[in-house]
Amino acid sequence: MTNTQVSKPRAHVHVRNIGGIDETDVTLSPGISILTGRNATNRTSFLQALMTGLGSTRSSLKADADEGSVTIEFNGDTYTRTLSRENGRVTFSGDPYLEDPAVADLFAFLLENNEARRAVARGENLRDVIMRPIDTDRIEADIAACRRERDDLESKIERLETLEQELPDLEAKRKNKRDELASAKEQLKTVRAQLAELDTGAEESRTRKQELEEAFQDVRDARAELEQFEFDLETEQSTLAQLKNERDELSEALADTDTPDGSPDELAQQIDHLRQRKESLDETISQLGSIIEFNKEMTEGAGVTIDSVGSDVTDTDDPTAALVAEDAITCWTCGSDVQSTQIESTLEQLRDLRADKLADRNDIQAEIDDLTSRQSQIQATLREREQMQRRLSTVKSEIESTQDRIDNLASQITEKESEVAALEQTAESIDTADHDEALELHREANSLDLRIDRITETLSSLDTEISERETALTERESLMAKHDELSDRLVELRTRVDQIEATAVESFNDHMETVLALLEYENLERIWIERRDKQVRDGRRKVTQTVFELHIVRQTADGTAYQDTSDHLSESEREVTGLVFALAGYLAHEVHKEVPFILLDSLEAIDSDRIARVIEYFEEYTDYLIAALLPADADPLSADHTLIEGLE
């Protein structure tokens, strides 16, 4: 035991109605604690209870209880967790040690049904297990946001290129209008000079002059109203185009989004039914485990003393009777005399039954995970479709309203154009033939004034448009620079994900090599993970997905190494490989920094000397290492370690 562990306080655990435990109190010393010895039939139940107090939900309530609890006291703090059975389901409440037990469930709580161990046993893609504790979701969200911003910039830059191509035509048009304005002003100057030389002095001339000015002012006012109508129409037409574009996009998106098969409510019922089946299986598995453990220890002599059949037989000198007596025992459940081989056979059947139940439970959990994922996808799809349909309905309504406003403006423009034409005709038709030259000059001056106003307005619009485009073009370099930055950022983010995955795989491979070296298996030279891209089908299309594949390197008796796959592993080798992978995850993700406990169970696939080496190696990485071992497997461990017996 290290000095650091000596300085650590003991941990006190109180368990009530968890798994097969009625009630028990256990004190865990820092370092290694071994659950073994007489009456150790609830070792797994205790480990599950400890997991529960630390934050996990992967434990079961005692079959005949409606409520249970776990309390852990250490480092001066108390953590309590309560389990309650409500409507056939077990709920968890209280204040556990961990807010989020996900990493600990994967790499610290290494019981038989541990997900990391089972993922290897089932030959699954290990990427999800390895990367789950790493926050790549935030990086992926950054990648998506960065890509959207870059695409938006690309659209703006493309628009600027179009503006630049249109700029020469606008410049030429403005030059023509300036020339036209200069010519009109020069003509007006000439007319006004001619008027200045005339001195009409006639009352009738002044009256006609006023009439002309009023007529042309009416034309100006009408034209101003017409231009406002035209501006409003242009705005509404732009809005209509945007709305129609959005309508088309929404309609296309809805058409491309398939209506999901199944109902979330129906899936919820299926999930609930499966969870009830899983809870029932959990309780059955726990009970079978207790029965197997108890009977195994009874047959090994770890429990009550087993008397041979007939003391009078054992006392006789008949060697045949003595040999028969050695094989016959009194059954501790029914009291009848049976052969030990019959009990062993029954135990083997119970083990097979428990293995079948475990397989059923794992299949149900996989089905629950699949249905839960489908339910989430269906709910997300339905929400998305509902949002799109609501927006589409709103857009269609807005299109109708906008179209009505456009039609109304078009009618107003037609009426106003007719009014302008009539006013212009009235102004032009004012008779000046019978009057002096001054009236004719006044009419010409008014016409030129009106023309100058119209040219000036056109020039102002052109100036504004050209100025806006020139200003926008000055921003193009900065937009392109920003675009390059975003492109580099995307590469960096994608590279970061690649680097994180590569680093995680490298770390796992290094630590698996370390753990495998401790075990010293002659026929398992190396276990390593390969990271590669693979084409998989996602609905109707194929996508590229990163997979982490497990590889095995074996060594023959003559020292020749060859590569194998996990498919060819024996059952015991799968168990060993799964444990190696899970222990490597504990080291790679530095789980000891988050949770000061590591729990080990179901190590029967490894012999006792190897178990001792692994446990003592991991002692330095954790404050508390608790392992459930058979008495024979616990023997090679140091006598300094804590042995825990007598769990109720």
Side-chain angles (χ1 to χ4, degrees):
M1 188 179 298
T2 65
N3 293 332
T4 302
Q5 291 167 337
V6 171
S7 65
K8 294 288 183 181
R10 293 184 175 187
H12 302 281
V13 184
H14 177 77
V15 181
R16 184 172 58 84
N17 292 336
I18 302 295
I21 297 175
D22 288 323
E23 188 164 12
T24 191
D25 285 284
V26 175
T27 298
L28 300 173
S29 298
I32 297 173
S33 296
I34 307 299
L35 303 178
T36 188
R38 187 167 179 254
N39 295 327
T41 55
N42 285 316
R43 294 173 300 176
T44 298
S45 293
F46 177 75
L47 291 179
Q48 290 178 342
L50 186 54
M51 289 166 51
T52 301
L54 293 171
S56 179
T57 58
R58 301 188 178 187
S59 62
S60 59
L61 190 60
K62 199 167 185 292
D64 59 356
D66 291 327
E67 188 262 343
S69 64
V70 183
T71 300
I72 304 175
E73 298 178 9
F74 74 105
N75 281 342
D77 294 314
T78 301
Y79 306 93
T80 301
R81 200 85 182 280
T82 300
L83 286 71
S84 302
R85 197 184 308 277
E86 299 176 2
N87 299 322
R89 299 181 62 180
V90 176
T91 60
F92 294 78
S93 60
D95 182 25
Y97 179 79
L98 297 170
E99 291 184 6
D100 182 1
V103 178
D105 274 333
L106 281 173
F107 301 116
F109 304 153
L110 305 184
L111 277 59
E112 183 180 28
N113 62 346
N114 170 264
E115 186 177 352
R117 294 174 69 172
R118 297 278 67 79
V120 172
R122 292 193 292 262
E124 297 175 356
N125 177 11
L126 300 179
R127 183 185 183 277
D128 174 63
V129 175
I130 291 176
M131 299 301 295
R132 196 181 304 171
I134 302 172
D135 186 15
T136 54
D137 289 343
R138 181 182 58 80
I139 300 176
E140 295 293 346
D142 289 345
I143 288 175
C146 192
R147 186 187 298 113
R148 286 194 299 270
E149 188 175 356
R150 186 197 62 178
D151 293 344
D152 183 55
L153 282 177
E154 286 179 351
S155 298
K156 289 181 179 178
I157 291 171
E158 289 176 2
R159 174 60 181 157
L160 288 178
E161 291 175 352
T162 302
L163 293 180
E164 186 178 34
Q165 295 170 0
E166 295 172 352
L167 202 55
D169 292 337
L170 291 173
E171 292 279 8
K173 187 175 180 180
R174 181 170 66 174
K175 182 180 182 304
N176 291 335
K177 287 297 178 183
R178 283 176 175 172
D179 292 342
E180 188 178 344
L181 179 62
S183 175
K185 286 182 176 179
E186 188 62 33
Q187 293 178 41
L188 181 59
K189 182 179 179 181
T190 301
V191 170
R192 286 178 175 168
Q194 292 174 353
L195 280 170
E197 294 176 358
L198 296 175
D199 183 15
T200 59
E203 182 64 29
E204 187 175 356
S205 295
R206 286 194 294 272
T207 301
R208 289 300 177 92
K209 175 184 175 183
Q210 183 178 356
E211 186 180 351
L212 280 170
E213 290 176 347
E214 290 175 353
F216 279 103
Q217 185 60 46
D218 290 342
V219 173
R220 291 191 189 92
D221 293 342
R223 281 198 170 277
E225 293 177 14
L226 177 61
E227 288 169 0
Q228 183 60 51
F229 287 149
E230 289 172 341
F231 175 79
D232 292 343
L233 178 63
E234 184 179 348
T235 301
E236 294 293 346
Q237 287 173 334
S238 175
T239 300
L240 182 63
Q242 293 173 3
L243 289 170
K244 286 182 176 180
N245 184 56
E246 185 178 0
R247 178 198 61 191
D248 295 341
E249 290 177 353
L250 287 168
S251 298
E252 184 178 352
L254 280 169
D256 291 341
T257 305
D258 296 332
T259 302
D261 296 329
S263 162
D265 293 337
E266 292 175 355
L267 290 176
Q269 292 177 359
Q270 295 179 42
I271 291 169
D272 187 63
H273 176 67
L274 288 171
R275 283 174 175 161
Q276 292 177 17
R277 286 177 56 194
K278 181 175 176 289
E279 288 174 6
S280 177
L281 281 172
D282 285 337
E283 293 174 359
T284 301
I285 290 167
S286 177
Q287 292 168 1
L288 284 171
S290 298
I291 293 169
I292 292 168
E293 188 80 12
F294 172 77
N295 284 277
K296 185 175 181 181
E297 293 191 8
M298 292 297 288
T299 58
E300 292 174 352
V304 300
T305 301
I306 304 175
D307 296 328
S308 296
V309 177
S311 58
D312 57 335
V313 176
T314 57
D315 291 337
T316 183
D317 292 333
D318 185 351
T320 303
L323 287 172
V324 172
E326 287 178 2
D327 240 2
I329 60 175
T330 300
C331 178
W332 46 88
T333 59
C334 65
S336 60
D337 297 334
V338 296
Q339 297 296 312
S340 61
T341 54
Q342 289 181 267
I343 294 180
E344 286 295 337
S345 176
T346 301
L347 278 175
E348 189 60 33
Q349 291 175 11
L350 287 173
R351 291 191 189 98
D352 292 342
L353 176 60
R354 185 171 183 270
D356 291 341
K357 295 296 183 183
L358 282 170
D360 291 343
R361 195 264 310 274
N362 291 335
D363 291 341
I364 288 174
Q365 183 60 54
E367 190 174 355
I368 289 173
D369 293 341
D370 180 59
L371 289 176
T372 302
S373 176
R374 280 180 54 199
Q375 183 187 43
S376 299
Q377 292 173 354
I378 289 173
Q379 289 172 335
T381 301
L382 290 175
R383 283 195 300 271
E384 184 180 2
R385 284 184 62 84
E386 185 179 352
Q387 290 171 357
M388 286 191 294
Q389 286 169 342
R390 284 202 304 267
R391 180 55 188 163
L392 181 59
S393 177
T394 301
V395 167
K396 287 181 177 179
S397 178
E398 290 177 358
I399 286 174
E400 291 179 2
S401 300
T402 304
Q403 187 62 60
D404 289 342
R405 290 194 296 273
I406 287 174
D407 294 341
N408 186 47
L409 283 169
S411 299
Q412 290 178 300
I413 288 172
T414 300
E415 293 175 2
K416 189 57 67 176
E417 285 175 341
S418 299
E419 181 182 345
V420 169
L423 290 171
E424 286 179 341
Q425 184 177 1
T426 299
E428 293 292 337
S429 66
I430 294 177
D431 185 16
T432 60
D434 297 333
H435 303 280
D436 56 30
E437 183 182 358
L439 289 176
E440 181 61 34
L441 291 173
H442 276 299
R443 186 176 71 172
E444 187 175 354
N446 278 289
S447 296
L448 288 168
D449 274 332
L450 185 59
R451 182 182 171 199
I452 288 170
D453 287 345
R454 293 169 64 182
I455 295 173
T456 302
E457 289 175 0
T458 302
L459 271 174
S460 177
S461 297
L462 286 169
D463 287 340
T464 299
E465 189 174 358
I466 290 172
S467 177
E468 288 175 350
R469 295 186 181 215
E470 288 176 342
T471 301
L473 288 171
T474 60
E475 298 174 357
R476 181 169 55 178
E477 289 188 8
S478 62
L479 291 177
M480 294 180 69
K482 179 67 174 176
H483 178 272
D484 292 341
E485 289 177 8
L486 289 171
S487 297
D488 293 341
R489 171 72 171 160
L490 273 173
V491 172
E492 187 267 331
L493 287 171
R494 293 192 182 104
T495 303
R496 188 188 305 175
V497 173
D498 291 342
Q499 288 174 341
I500 289 172
E501 290 183 351
T503 301
V505 168
E506 182 181 1
S507 179
F508 263 77
N509 287 337
D510 289 343
H511 289 300
M512 283 196 296
E513 184 177 357
T514 299
V515 176
L516 195 60
L518 292 172
L519 296 173
E520 296 180 353
Y521 282 105
E522 294 180 357
N523 63 332
L524 290 178
E525 179 70 16
R526 184 184 175 212
I527 301 172
W528 64 287
I529 297 168
E530 178 190 13
R531 173 179 171 269
R532 66 186 186 88
D533 291 334
K534 182 179 180 181
Q535 288 284 331
V536 298
R537 183 166 294 281
D538 182 14
R540 299 178 180 177
R541 57 195 180 94
K542 287 187 176 181
V543 297
T544 300
Q545 183 184 73
T546 302
V547 296
F548 292 177
E549 288 187 349
L550 191 71
H551 296 279
I552 314 296
V553 177
R554 293 186 181 275
Q555 185 171 320
T556 61
D558 61 2
T560 303
Y562 67 96
Q563 185 157 294
D564 202 353
T565 66
S566 59
D567 296 337
H568 297 154
L569 292 173
S570 66
E571 188 64 30
S572 62
E573 286 175 333
R574 283 181 183 275
E575 291 297 325
V576 170
T577 304
L579 183 62
V580 169
F581 173 73
L583 289 170
Y586 180 86
L587 298 174
H589 288 296
E590 298 182 329
V591 183
H592 64 279
K593 293 183 178 180
E594 181 176 346
V595 54
F597 292 80
I598 181 171
L599 314 181
L600 299 173
D601 192 14
S602 300
L603 305 180
E604 292 81 2
I606 307 175
D607 62 73
S608 58
D609 290 334
R610 289 186 170 98
I611 291 174
R613 289 199 296 271
V614 169
I615 287 177
E616 291 179 345
Y617 177 81
F618 275 83
E619 180 182 8
E620 68 175 283
Y621 288 97
T622 184
D623 296 340
Y624 305 89
L625 189 153
I626 300 93
L629 299 177
L630 297 173
D633 291 334
D635 288 342
L637 287 162
S638 169
D640 294 336
H641 303 319
T642 303
L643 293 180
I644 299 173
E645 301 177 296
L647 295 173
E648 298 296 336

